[in-house]
Amino acid sequence: MVIDLDKCTGCGACSVACMSENNIGVLHDETDKIRSITWMRVYQIDNGKSFPDTEVAFIPRPCMHCQGGTSGTPGQAFFQEDPMEEAAHTPCVSVCPATATDYDEETGIVSQIPTRCIGCRYCVAACPYHARYFNWYDVPWPKGTPRALSPFVSPRMRGVAEKCTFCYQRYQAARNKALVSGGEVGEMDYQTACTEACPSGAITFGQLQNPKHKVHQLISSEYTFRLLERLHTNPKVYYMSKREWVRKKADNYVTRHNKFAQAAPQSGH
Amino acid sequence: MRRWLDDLPKYADDSSWWPKGTKRCRPEVFLIWLGLPLTLLAYFTVGAVLCLALGLNQTNMNDYFAFGVWIVVDLAVIALGAGAFFTSFLNYIVGKTELKPIVNAAVLIGFICYVGAILMLGIDIGQPIRGWFGFWHANVHSMLTEVMFCITTYAIVLTIELLPSVLDNRRISRVPEFGTMGHNLHTIMIVFAAAGTFLSFFHQGSLGGMFGVLYARPFAARGGLGIWPWTFFLFIWSAIAVGPSFTTMIVMLTEKITGRKLTKHSVKMLMGKISGWLLITYMVAKSADTAWWAYIKLPAAGLTMDDMYHSPYGYWLMWVELGLCGWLPALMLVQEKVRESYGLMFLAMLLACIGVTLNRFVFTIQSLALPVLPFESFHAYLPSWQEWGIASLVLGFGLLVFMLAYRYLPIFPQEPELNE
């Protein structure tokens, strides 16, 4: 997925579409923002300058579907030039004790099995993007609303973790269709709900490794970056912005001069 | 107070159940004393019922603080309960038989800590009924899987290790089968001491590894050896350093409360010496680890030490953990003069236990409080009264079990001769 932050207006249509598509309920108290469930969350950031130089941007944040770094060996960090280069797995997948979440090598999607989850919340603690949510409440579905739920997505019960799945049910439908017709899953056959809903066309979705897909071309842009690249989580969600201050917000930078910081790789492109 | 208690009418006489050669308070006085743990357990029950019936929204945990006070207490009591495996290891396997008078107490305290922690974790997980999935669908890559397996199996080992003390009760041992079983268990206890050492080594380490492997959480993440981050070894190290201290502290407190001598001071001094030297070596390793984290690990993640400490989790936490409750008790406990003084040794041991508890606190709470995304917000956390209720289980359950064990089981073999 590639999200053009210069096109995003922060309207929240992607969040609403996501909630509707994936049977995310409205809780008793949605003002409790640190417990509300938003698989696609829109952050507002600014350049830190006072009026009239203030600039604002919005960062939609789905699950990053991290692959984890593959260049390092766990535990070898102490002997490497880059001490962060040690991960070879998705942060949340490797920690789940009950194998309730898994990284699919074929699709690159990190799945979640709600009925396997024991609710230990270790994955929530492991995710640096806050993309994982825990069901603190039973969803109070008002009378009649369950009939309006999508039949392709299981509503989650209280006490389990959940997250964006890149609308995996849509992939399954597209794959089944392709199997029947004998073809392949085309670029437009499988699009996430947030991609379809974005009115400004800021979100582009496809196969990153497929040269025919638009996302493949977009990620080679000099303006493309990913969040927290120094951690080597290897996310599947890329962002684009021609504004340098926006790109700078994607990662942490050592603020004071430090000789050890010189060896650290620069974030972004 | 004591006179008022003495004026109470006399009821049942349970003196035939007391360990041979010991004196205990009257049953009605003991029942009044039991009010304290039972009150704590009632408080726990209210919190547990609310959390199980209404969900974990009864806590102050949220999507930023996935772990809360329960995990802090859990990690702390398991570290403090390490006296069980380490004292057993030294006594049965290394051959430090001078520790024999305190082994039973160490095992009892370990049993309390582990069982209490497991009960608390049963409330902590969102789906308690599915708790067994961690065993059935085990993810071999997860440190938590290792923790689940080892804590559960070690709790069973501790129960078996505690069984001889139960079977040695004056009344129970009169049953021939129980007497024989108790005697036979004593002879094979070395096997369980070895099993306990093996299991404890791995789960104490895994609890540290749990945080060290969070490579996307720069506050907690560490490099290490093979699949184990440094925290794996540091947690084992700190646990075996304070475990003996905690055991000794509980024995000293019991002596003060009951007014009876339970072990010779030389035994306590030896426990203090073991703690002291282990603490010194642990503090060297911990200080080196902190320096490596500050000067190499954090800059590589684009962060500095200043980014890691925000009010209320400021630098003071680090100085209290490493200085006041780290180096200071370590240097105190290696001094023989300090160990000879009942008060000073107790103080040093108390500081050491606070230090390790603080260490578990910062790894659990501070790790999660710090945002990793530059545009995320910083949050602080305070437990709800329901959370405190469930956290008090360890104390309530511990007091109840320890009081019953002290009254009826021969936990302290030196007690009769020391109080003649």
Side-chain angles (χ1 to χ4, degrees):
Chain A
M1 181 179 281
V2 178
I3 303 174
D4 189 336
L5 300 184
D6 296 339
K7 287 183 182 174
C8 176
T9 60
C11 69
C14 52
S15 292
V16 174
C18 174
M19 292 181 85
S20 182
E21 170 75 21
N22 294 295
N23 296 338
I24 299 170
V26 178
L27 303 177
H28 309 77
D29 181 9
E30 281 293 343
T31 62
D32 189 358
K33 289 296 173 197
I34 49 180
R35 281 186 181 164
S36 65
I37 298 174
T38 45
W39 287 9
M40 175 61 113
R41 181 174 171 183
V42 182
Y43 286 92
Q44 179 181 310
I45 58 169
D46 61 60
N47 61 353
K49 293 180 180 175
S50 54
F51 183 81
D53 301 316
T54 313
E55 278 187 56
V56 170
F58 298 93
I59 300 186
R61 190 247 43 218
C63 170
M64 298 288 140
H65 295 273
C66 309
Q67 187 172 359
T70 50
S71 53
T73 309
Q76 295 300 307
F78 187 80
F79 310 102
Q80 289 174 357
E81 192 179 342
D82 175 12
M84 296 308 296
E85 200 167 318
E86 60 187 68
H89 45 69
T90 307
C92 56
V93 168
S94 58
V95 300
C96 175
T99 331
T101 181
D102 195 20
Y103 179 79
D104 185 346
E105 292 288 348
E106 187 192 346
T107 59
I109 290 175
V110 176
S111 61
Q112 176 75 21
I113 312 168
T115 47
R116 175 76 64 80
C117 175
I118 63 170
C120 69
R121 303 181 300 284
Y122 194 10
C123 59
V124 179
C127 178
Y129 303 103
H130 286 291
R132 283 184 161 270
Y133 293 89
F134 184 72
N135 280 273
W136 301 97
Y137 299 93
D138 280 310
V139 178
W141 298 108
K143 194 180 177 186
T145 50
R147 284 184 296 171
L149 295 178
S150 164
F152 305 110
V153 184
S154 306
R156 280 72 54 191
M157 63 291 295
R158 191 186 77 198
V160 301
E162 60 176 65
K163 64 172 199 70
C164 151
T165 59
F166 272 173
C167 297
Y168 191 74
Q169 66 280 3
R170 291 185 171 212
Y171 169 72
Q172 287 176 310
R175 188 190 55 188
N176 292 346
K177 202 172 167 183
L179 282 168
V180 170
S181 62
E184 284 186 351
V185 177
E187 185 175 12
M188 298 315 289
D189 294 341
Y190 168 38
Q191 291 291 303
T192 61
C194 53
T195 309
E196 283 183 351
C198 181
S200 56
I203 306 175
T204 314
F205 189 75
Q207 283 181 298
L208 294 171
Q209 293 168 338
N210 191 332
K212 294 177 190 169
H213 286 207
K214 195 180 173 186
V215 285
H216 181 81
Q217 293 140 37
L218 289 174
I219 60 171
S220 58
S221 161
E222 62 176 310
Y223 301 116
T224 306
F225 62 95
R226 293 185 290 180
L227 297 179
L228 301 173
E229 287 213 65
R230 291 175 178 213
L231 299 181
H232 296 286
T233 54
N234 202 0
K236 299 265 179 352
V237 178
Y238 288 74
Y239 293 91
M240 290 179 73
S241 180
K242 290 184 177 175
R243 291 172 287 178
E244 193 188 359
W245 72 264
V246 174
R247 296 199 298 273
K248 284 273 188 187
K249 284 276 185 181
D251 210 339
N252 294 295
Y253 295 87
V254 175
T255 47
R256 63 185 138 144
H257 186 70
N258 184 319
K259 64 175 179 178
F260 294 105
Q262 304 304 311
Q266 290 304 301
S267 166
H269 38 277
Chain B
M1 178 72 178
R2 192 173 286 276
R3 184 183 293 178
W4 178 79
L5 289 170
D6 287 341
D7 291 342
L8 282 171
K10 290 176 175 54
Y11 295 103
D13 179 16
D14 62 348
S15 56
S16 62
W17 290 80
W18 299 348
K20 200 174 179 181
T22 62
K23 263 182 74 87
R24 299 288 182 256
C25 64
R26 289 177 9 222
E28 52 273 25
V29 177
F30 181 64
L31 279 175
I32 292 168
W33 274 108
L34 282 181
L36 179 62
L38 291 175
T39 305
L40 287 168
L41 287 174
Y43 181 24
F44 157 77
T45 306
V46 173
V49 167
L50 283 170
C51 285
L52 291 172
L54 303 176
L56 293 178
N57 53 63
Q58 297 297 299
T59 69
N60 278 351
M61 287 187 282
N62 52 57
D63 288 324
Y64 288 86
F65 289 100
F67 298 150
V69 68
W70 299 338
I71 298 294
V72 176
V73 172
D74 186 71
L75 294 176
V77 297
I78 283 176
L80 299 174
F85 95 85
F86 195 59
T87 313
S88 296
F89 168 75
L90 292 173
N91 178 56
Y92 292 107
I93 294 164
V94 177
K96 275 269 176 204
T97 49
E98 305 98 305
L99 297 173
K100 197 169 177 60
I102 209 165
V103 162
N104 289 345
V107 168
L108 175 65
I109 291 161
F111 172 82
I112 288 165
C113 290
Y114 278 80
V115 174
I118 290 170
L119 290 171
M120 207 165 52
L121 287 175
I123 309 292
D124 184 60
I125 57 174
Q127 291 283 339
I129 294 169
R130 293 185 200 159
W132 59 278
F133 281 15
F135 302 95
W136 195 253
H137 301 289
N139 172 12
V140 295
H141 302 288
S142 173
M143 287 281 174
L144 198 53
T145 302
E146 201 175 324
V147 170
M148 285 174 77
F149 271 88
C150 291
I151 284 184
T152 311
T153 46
Y154 184 51
I156 295 165
V157 167
L158 277 168
T159 309
I160 295 167
E161 284 186 317
L162 195 63
L163 207 52
S165 297
V166 178
L167 297 173
D168 282 350
N169 172 276
R170 266 166 70 193
R171 292 286 289 271
I172 294 173
S173 61
R174 286 183 202 168
V175 180
E177 289 81 1
F178 288 157
T180 309
M181 188 180 168
H183 174 74
N184 288 335
L185 273 174
H186 274 299
T187 58
I188 58 164
M189 205 40 69
I190 188 169
V191 176
F192 295 103
T197 303
F198 173 81
L199 293 170
S200 289
F201 178 88
F202 279 100
H203 79 246
Q204 295 282 2
S206 302
L207 284 170
M210 254 183 78
F211 295 97
V213 298
L214 297 179
Y215 72 91
R217 290 272 180 185
F219 183 85
R222 295 292 191 277
L225 296 168
I227 59 166
W228 296 292
W230 301 126
T231 47
F232 184 96
F233 306 102
L234 289 171
F235 269 49
I236 298 169
W237 215 328
S238 56
I240 60 174
V242 299
S245 275
F246 187 70
T247 300
T248 313
M249 263 176 59
I250 298 295
V251 173
M252 289 165 107
L253 273 173
T254 312
E255 285 182 336
K256 285 290 169 199
I257 291 165
T258 60
R260 295 178 65 80
K261 287 196 175 78
L262 302 176
T263 62
K264 287 177 180 169
H265 193 65
S266 59
V267 176
K268 298 186 193 83
M269 281 178 69
L270 179 58
M271 291 287 270
K273 189 179 180 180
I274 291 164
S275 255
W277 284 108
L278 281 168
L279 261 179
I280 286 270
T281 54
Y282 164 71
M283 285 314 301
V284 171
K286 175 69 184 169
S287 302
D289 168 76
T290 305
W292 178 84
W293 170 74
Y295 288 102
I296 297 176
K297 187 78 177 178
L298 285 181
L303 296 158
T304 63
M305 284 276 277
D306 289 344
D307 297 320
M308 297 289 107
Y309 294 95
H310 299 274
S311 179
Y313 313 120
Y315 275 113
W316 68 272
L317 268 174
M318 188 179 75
W319 296 123
V320 171
E321 183 205 333
L322 299 182
L324 182 67
C325 299
W327 277 108
L328 178 65
L331 294 169
M332 281 173 79
L333 284 170
V334 293
Q335 308 289 332
E336 195 167 359
K337 280 189 175 173
V338 169
R339 296 199 302 271
E340 280 169 357
S341 160
Y342 204 90
L344 281 176
M345 184 163 77
F346 185 87
L347 176 69
M349 288 174 166
L350 180 66
L351 287 175
C353 292
I354 292 170
V356 165
T357 304
L358 261 182
N359 174 262
R360 287 2 181 207
F361 171 84
V362 298
F363 266 105
T364 307
I365 301 300
Q366 203 171 337
S367 294
L368 301 179
L370 295 162
V372 188
L373 284 168
F375 45 84
E376 256 294 359
S377 47
F378 172 85
H379 291 269
Y381 157 84
L382 267 178
S384 67
W385 67 264
Q386 294 93 326
E387 281 178 276
W388 284 120
I390 286 156
S392 67
L393 163 75
V394 181
L395 190 59
F397 171 76
L399 277 171
L400 182 69
V401 172
F402 196 87
M403 284 164 76
L404 289 168
Y406 170 74
R407 189 172 179 84
Y408 298 119
L409 306 181
I411 299 294
F412 299 104
Q414 289 182 328
E415 188 188 0
E417 62 169 294
L418 290 173
N419 296 280
E420 276 174 352

